[in-house]
Amino acid sequence: MKPTTVIGFLGSTLDAAKFGPSRWNKWRPTVSICMQEDLRVDRFVLIHGSYHRRLAEFVMQDIRDVSPETEVIPHVLDFEDAWDFEEVYGKLLDFAREFEFDPDTHDYLIHITTGTHVAQICLFLLTEARYLPGMLLQTQPHKGAPQPIGTWASIDLDLSRYDSIASRFAEASAESTSFLKSGIETRNAAFNRMIEEIEQVAVRSRAPILLMGPTGAGKSQLARKVYELKKLRHQVEGPFVEVNCATLKGDSAMSALFGHKKGAFTGAVQDRPGLLKSADKGLLFLDEIGELGLDEQAMILRAIEEGRFLPVGADSEANSEFQLIAGTNRNLMDEVAAGNFREDLFARLNLWTFALPGLAERREDIAPNLDYELERFAESEGTRVTFNKEARERYLAFAESPSARWQGNFRDLAASVTRMATLCPTGRIDREAVDFETSRLARLWSGDKAEYDSLTDLLGKDRVAAIDPFDRVQLDYVVEVCRRSSSLSDAGRTLFAASREQRRSTNDSDRLRKYLAKFGLEWTILTR
């Protein structure tokens, strides 16, 4: 066995006792360490202040009496304020650096039962950081009748030696990773590895994060989930502020981002704090950052590095401490080469860069995302919709095939699910609904706009513009069903398949005729 060295503070209260035989009835943590039958202490480095020198000599003599083989080494360490974290940590760090440790030939136990709470915390941190290369040592008295020996336990901060603790940490990390994925059981290995890395960066760093990827790849949603994760960990206090930089053009960009003072320009009738100020203590997501002008980029860089910026028309600077996540669908390296993006800003953003793949590159993740979108629809509309088995298989066969281009990525998928769920009359998406939707997607990706122009041809551009988007989708579906049906009654039976079973009178053709009349349409017009 290797020799064991204990390092610990003298307990000015716990180790104190009146001289005489009665002191051996009291538990004194420093002395009790050397009274343990199953712990051999070859050397004890006893840290104490000058003021407690007499107590230290008293305790050292008692250690020699109970454990003659233990070499006790006093180490005087004085603090101006033993509760000042910076002072205590600094002096203990100096002690650790000067001490001649030899972990290959000696074992070290760092006693954390004695000393002020600040000293105990500092010993823990220095041991965790391996400045003190040993295990933590805890002692405590026996419960019940007073006994001088008490008990002891060592704690190895190498979590790999504690399966239960390590598994808890692994579970917590897995929960955070799942949180960033909105609980979606994604299957793409490269994407899962990337999310695991983002989770580590999110909880351990305040440096800017750059999310690259095509429109609809999920940059905005991921940025918000990073914020929510940091909020759960109490790492941010302020709000999540999202800015689409593509909407910031001209002189208004400076004002929107950095704020302005009253009277700074025509129309500035009152002070405006600006979006950067609104994100103070929180997280700022600048989506499509590549769309910003060079002047705005320069001010953003200074705000990131110094937390300061100058509002439009102001004489003094404003302060804002925020974490930045930037998103872009452009290749910023190409933009830097073309002179459209500042090289120094790109260098600042490029510490943590993650490229989000499009949906077409993650076809194995379409199935779990399909379920997720159905859940989202149920939450937003209060109606749960499901696929029948054949319809689901048919939709996935199309969605996962090479012919499915998914140009809009997850936005295309979300819109597709919303259309099918909205237009299914029975709460079950069937094969016919899937065939109709996949045909729509195929035409969309092929560039065929006939589907979207059909209502314009029927009603005219102005009348179509006056119809709510929700009603427009429904009307478009009704028109398509009418054109595929042999008669008005046949179309009515298809469209009212669920509700017709609950009505005493099932005059489907009359119901459909009245619905079409709301928009000035007739059956004869649709079947020409």
Side-chain angles (χ1 to χ4, degrees):
M1 293 178 61
K2 292 188 291 186
T4 298
T5 296
V6 174
I7 300 173
F9 278 92
L10 175 71
S12 59
T13 299
L14 292 176
D15 284 328
K18 292 182 179 180
F19 184 78
S22 62
R23 73 182 187 276
W24 296 107
N25 294 325
K26 177 187 176 183
W27 175 73
R28 292 177 291 165
T30 299
V31 178
S32 75
I33 292 173
C34 300
M35 299 174 69
Q36 304 294 330
E37 293 184 359
D38 55 349
L39 176 62
R40 176 186 174 89
V41 179
D42 298 282
R43 185 170 55 163
F44 201 125
V45 179
L46 187 61
I47 303 173
H48 64 88
S50 301
Y51 181 78
H52 297 110
R53 191 182 302 274
R54 289 188 61 187
L55 175 60
E57 292 173 353
F58 178 60
V59 170
M60 289 165 61
Q61 183 56 53
D62 279 350
I63 291 176
R64 295 188 188 102
D65 289 343
V66 299
S67 181
E69 70 276 13
T70 299
E71 177 188 7
V72 185
I73 304 173
H75 185 93
V76 177
L77 194 60
D78 288 318
F79 302 111
E80 292 183 12
D81 183 357
W83 295 91
D84 181 85
F85 186 90
E86 184 177 0
E87 180 191 3
V88 175
Y89 186 87
K91 289 186 176 180
L92 284 175
L93 177 60
D94 291 339
F95 161 79
R97 286 172 169 169
E98 294 170 1
F99 196 93
E100 294 183 2
F101 289 102
D102 186 4
D104 292 332
T105 59
H106 288 72
D107 288 329
Y108 298 93
L109 294 174
I110 314 303
H111 189 210
I112 58 171
T113 301
T114 51
T116 65
H117 294 326
V118 171
Q120 294 169 6
I121 292 170
C122 290
L123 288 176
F124 173 90
L125 293 175
L126 289 167
T127 305
E128 183 182 42
R130 304 298 294 173
Y131 284 109
L132 297 173
M135 294 190 295
L136 299 178
L137 172 64
Q138 281 186 311
T139 55
Q140 61 182 0
H142 279 290
K143 295 180 180 179
Q147 295 185 32
I149 298 179
T151 61
W152 70 281
S154 62
I155 305 171
D156 192 341
L157 292 179
D158 180 3
L159 296 180
S160 65
R161 300 187 186 182
Y162 283 84
D163 291 340
S164 61
I165 298 177
S167 64
R168 290 290 298 274
F169 271 80
E171 289 173 7
S173 179
E175 288 175 2
S176 297
T177 301
S178 177
F179 182 84
L180 291 182
K181 297 188 296 183
S182 300
I184 304 172
E185 295 294 330
T186 53
R187 304 164 183 171
N188 184 278
F191 178 77
N192 287 340
R193 284 194 299 271
M194 182 185 68
I195 293 297
E196 289 173 2
E197 186 173 342
I198 292 175
E199 184 267 336
Q200 295 182 52
V201 172
V203 299
R204 300 178 65 183
S205 173
R206 284 186 51 82
I209 296 174
L210 178 61
L211 302 179
M212 303 179 69
T215 300
K219 299 185 291 292
S220 178
Q221 182 175 352
L222 180 56
R224 182 174 289 277
K225 298 303 286 188
V226 167
Y227 166 77
E228 292 173 358
L229 178 61
K230 296 178 77 71
K231 188 82 169 176
L232 287 172
R233 300 291 185 91
H234 306 288
Q235 295 178 340
V236 292
E237 301 175 12
F240 176 78
V241 177
E242 181 175 356
V243 185
N244 187 339
C245 297
T247 65
L248 303 179
K249 299 296 182 182
D251 296 337
S252 64
M254 282 287 192
S255 173
L257 287 171
F258 308 106
H260 64 247
K261 302 299 289 184
K262 178 180 178 181
F265 50 84
T266 302
V269 296
Q270 60 184 8
D271 290 350
R272 180 179 184 179
L275 295 166
L276 267 67
K277 186 64 177 178
S278 299
D280 191 24
K281 308 299 183 184
L283 191 148
L284 176 67
F285 176 50
L286 293 181
D287 196 13
E288 304 305 343
I289 193 171
E291 301 288 343
L292 284 180
L294 294 175
D295 292 340
E296 290 82 5
Q297 293 175 29
M299 291 187 67
I300 286 289
L301 176 61
R302 185 161 183 260
I304 297 171
E305 295 183 333
E306 302 178 17
R308 295 182 294 153
F309 54 91
L310 187 67
V312 178
D315 297 324
S316 59
E317 293 180 322
N319 299 316
S320 182
E321 296 295 333
F322 57 86
Q323 181 171 359
L324 176 71
I325 297 182
T328 181
N329 62 3
R330 297 186 178 189
N331 186 321
L332 291 188
M333 294 184 66
D334 292 343
E335 296 298 310
V336 169
N340 298 325
F341 200 82
R342 292 181 63 98
E343 185 175 5
D344 50 3
L345 177 57
F346 177 67
R348 189 70 178 85
L349 297 176
N350 199 34
L351 173 62
W352 297 111
T353 299
F354 301 97
L356 274 63
L359 184 57
E361 301 173 66
R362 295 172 49 197
R363 296 183 189 273
E364 63 268 61
D365 288 339
I366 291 175
N369 274 279
L370 184 63
D371 296 330
Y372 172 72
E373 293 298 341
L374 286 171
E375 287 295 327
R376 285 183 61 192
F377 180 85
E379 290 177 7
S380 64
E381 302 300 329
T383 302
R384 184 164 297 278
V385 178
T386 59
F387 282 89
N388 66 40
K389 182 178 180 181
E390 182 185 12
R392 179 183 172 87
E393 292 175 351
R394 194 172 182 85
Y395 186 83
L396 287 175
F398 166 81
E400 296 172 354
S401 69
S403 61
R405 298 169 61 183
W406 297 113
Q407 293 170 330
N409 295 294
F410 291 93
R411 290 179 183 172
D412 275 357
L413 181 62
S416 177
V417 171
T418 298
R419 284 192 293 266
M420 288 187 292
T422 300
L423 298 175
C424 72
T426 62
R428 293 276 285 177
I429 301 173
D430 56 21
R431 176 174 175 170
E432 183 178 17
V434 166
D435 289 344
F436 180 69
E437 176 59 26
T438 54
S439 296
R440 179 197 295 261
L441 288 172
R443 289 195 296 271
L444 170 65
W445 295 330
S446 68
D448 183 359
K449 302 299 183 181
E451 175 186 1
Y452 299 99
D453 293 340
S454 61
L455 290 182
T456 303
D457 294 339
L458 288 169
L459 301 173
K461 185 176 180 181
D462 292 340
R463 289 177 63 190
V464 170
I467 301 174
D468 288 334
F470 180 88
D471 292 329
R472 202 180 306 163
V473 172
Q474 187 178 59
L475 178 59
D476 187 67
Y477 178 75
V478 170
V479 169
E480 180 68 20
V481 170
C482 288
R483 285 176 167 168
R484 289 190 281 114
S485 301
S486 59
S487 66
L488 186 63
S489 297
D490 181 37
R493 282 191 295 271
T494 300
L495 293 166
F496 305 120
S499 61
R500 71 191 306 269
E501 300 298 331
Q502 304 168 12
R503 297 171 65 92
R504 293 181 179 179
S505 174
T506 56
N507 193 342
D508 301 320
S509 59
D510 186 58
R511 292 177 67 189
L512 178 55
R513 186 181 295 106
K514 290 178 179 178
Y515 174 83
L516 294 174
K518 287 170 49 180
F519 302 97
L521 294 174
E522 297 179 0
W523 169 259
T524 54
I525 297 176
L526 301 180
T527 55
R528 288 176 181 171

